[in-house]
Amino acid sequence: MHAAAFAWAGLRGEYRAQRVEPAALPAQIAALRRPGVLGANLSLPHKEAALPLLDALSDAARRIGAVNTVIHRGGQLSGDNTDAPGLLRALEDAGVGAQEGAVVVLGAGGAARAAVYAALTGLGREVYVVNRTPQRAQALAAAWVRPQGAALVRAVDVEGVPWEQVGLVINASSAGLGAPEESPLPDFDFGRLPAGAGVYDMVYQPHETRLLRDVRSAGRRGENGLGMLAHQARLAFAAWTGLEVPPQVFLGALHEKLDLKRTAP
């Protein structure tokens, strides 16, 4: 995606993927201060661990508690989170999430934190967090408590969700990633959701997950994570270069890489 963006913008630039062991993260972050480096993206498991290694954080990164984009300026490193606005734009493009009602977030890691932030600040919805490790869900929910004590986010198990009041389900877990038959809700009847409810699966590989198949079999709207991936990349590229590249450039590169039929964003 970023190679396509550099080409579209007429810039000479290089974007490389690099596997970094947790113990090596501080040294790799420090290396971003070198001249000529614009910044980096971070993926699991580094989105939360990088926070204390940076000089400044955006309000979104601070409130989410996770960084996916590092920007280098004059030896200083700032952290931002483009996952949340990328998710909101993807939901808008796909027409998923327009239904009124609560949001259910599956997972409790960095991606789930971004999803909760997007649901609260962008959609203004009540949020239920469901995670296979209840303690992690509870810790995430506890970070979003109003000063007066009224909970913004609730950690519950699957049966603790009032499904008939849910307008959007977001899979922010790794369930299904590279595993077409794995689902974060393997035995769930998606017919329990209101007719207009939708499901957004952040997983984009495979393109069609078991979660999405089950959702669509129940007559509900489902969308995979390609749009979010493209939009978070577009926002990161803009942070590094100051240039706004059309989302179609990123989506086109993704469709070409994954050999998918192109569709308008």
Side-chain angles (χ1 to χ4, degrees):
M1 289 186 293
H2 292 291
F6 278 123
W8 183 92
L11 296 177
R12 294 181 60 187
E14 186 179 8
Y15 185 97
R16 294 194 304 265
Q18 184 171 352
R19 184 178 298 277
V20 177
E21 295 299 325
L25 183 64
Q28 291 296 325
I29 292 292
L32 299 178
R33 301 179 189 275
R34 295 175 302 186
V37 176
L38 297 177
N41 283 136
L42 302 176
S43 61
L44 293 173
H46 303 312
K47 292 184 177 184
E48 297 165 63
L51 292 172
L53 305 175
L54 303 173
D55 302 305
L57 297 173
S58 68
D59 182 64
R62 185 177 297 105
R63 294 186 66 187
I64 293 169
V67 166
N68 79 320
T69 301
V70 179
I71 303 104
H72 175 219
R73 294 284 188 278
Q76 297 293 296
L77 299 177
S78 59
D80 197 4
N81 191 303
T82 64
D83 282 337
L87 171 61
L88 289 171
R89 179 60 188 274
L91 291 172
E92 180 182 349
D93 286 350
V96 176
Q99 173 81 10
E100 291 297 322
V103 175
V104 174
V105 174
L106 306 176
R113 290 173 177 271
V116 170
Y117 178 84
L120 292 173
T121 64
L123 301 177
R125 310 279 187 85
E126 183 177 19
V127 180
Y128 294 88
V129 179
V130 178
N131 190 59
R132 60 186 176 184
T133 305
Q135 293 83 353
R136 294 198 68 196
Q138 291 161 7
L140 174 52
W144 293 97
V145 176
R146 295 181 189 273
Q148 64 267 36
L152 288 166
V153 185
R154 299 177 187 176
V156 297
D157 60 20
V158 172
E159 292 308 317
V161 176
W163 293 103
E164 69 282 356
Q165 302 172 24
V166 171
L168 174 65
V169 179
I170 301 172
N171 178 31
S173 76
S174 59
L177 182 62
E181 297 308 314
E182 185 181 42
S183 170
L185 295 173
D187 302 313
F188 185 72
D189 175 14
F190 288 94
R192 295 172 63 182
L193 294 172
V199 175
Y200 192 86
D201 191 349
M202 288 187 183
V203 172
Y204 59 89
Q205 190 74 308
H207 184 64
E208 185 81 358
T209 61
R210 177 182 171 185
L211 174 63
L212 293 181
R213 291 197 303 272
D214 290 347
V215 167
R216 291 165 182 164
S217 294
R220 303 300 185 263
R221 181 74 182 271
E223 187 71 23
N224 69 25
L226 280 178
M228 178 181 171
L229 181 64
H231 281 297
Q232 63 81 25
R234 176 183 61 84
L235 293 168
F237 190 87
W240 297 325
T241 66
L243 298 175
E244 295 287 344
V245 177
Q248 293 91 335
V249 173
F250 296 89
L251 285 166
L254 276 176
H255 281 81
E256 182 175 343
K257 177 69 174 178
L258 299 176
D259 194 25
L260 301 172
K261 181 180 179 181
R262 295 185 185 226
T263 56

